[in-house]
Amino acid sequence: MSDDAAPWLIVGLGNPGAEYAGNRHNIGFMAVDLLAERMRGKFKAHKARAQVVEGRMGPPGPANRRVVLAKPMSFMNLSGGPVTALRDFYKVPVDRIVAVHDELDIDYPTLRLKLGGGDNGHNGLKSMTKSMGPEYHRVRCGIGRPPGRMQVADFVLKDFSSTERKELDWFVDRAADAVECLIAEGLERAQSAYNS
């Protein structure tokens, strides 16, 4: 079981650079950006090739947790390197790591939370799992499957459509809420509140 003094490491998965900012693949970045805003924190460069915000999350009292929000500054398929370096730097047990990421096999805008499991072809998860095993939490943000014959890579590297953007703020807000609930109240409570 986790050491109570250890922080939680919340990793938004995405690609760095302005040209990727609105992509479906970057919904993890969007969620941790919102969490940083809620914590009134500013991302700073970390030697682990990541941007980080350190702070506290949750209500006052025992459910208030020390957290590190992170955005790996490697590309998506190399996320495992920065995440492992942050894990080692902050001494975070793997079961206190949360990856927030896009998920093709879940319809937009649906959330699912789980602990462990496969990578489902997601290159960011594949890289993380290769570096430290699969036993970390996932907040899976459904983006659905590409229409027609569009390639998956093209679909995830496109911005959300104008129709999807109508719900995007709500969806990112809900993903951030789910992370806060997971950390303050545990996985089962967060699953019953947010898995749809």
Side-chain angles (χ1 to χ4, degrees), residues 45-68:
H46 190 280
K47 64 182 181 185
R49 292 200 336 270
Q51 297 271 330
V52 300
V53 170
E54 296 178 46
R56 299 195 76 85
M57 183 182 284
N64 188 266
R65 308 270 190 241
R66 205 157 69 88
V67 298
V68 178

Side-chain angles (χ1 to χ4, degrees), residues 164-180:
E164 288 169 333
R165 279 199 294 273
K166 293 184 180 121
E167 290 183 288
L168 185 58
D169 286 349
W170 172 84
F171 191 31
V172 170
D173 201 57
R174 194 167 158 80
D177 289 348
V179 170
E180 290 180 342

Side-chain angles (χ1 to χ4, degrees), residues 87-109:
R87 175 200 70 185
D88 295 347
F89 181 84
Y90 290 104
K91 300 179 174 46
V92 181
V94 174
D95 66 354
R96 283 210 175 180
I97 297 172
V98 182
V100 187
H101 63 91
D102 57 307
E103 178 68 66
L104 289 159
D105 284 339
I106 301 172
D107 289 338
Y108 181 82

Side-chain angles (χ1 to χ4, degrees), residues 13-17 20-31 102 156:
L13 292 180
N15 285 309
Y20 299 106
N23 289 180
R24 293 183 176 95
H25 226 14
N26 273 42
I27 194 160
F29 274 19
M30 297 173 196
D102 57 307
V156 299

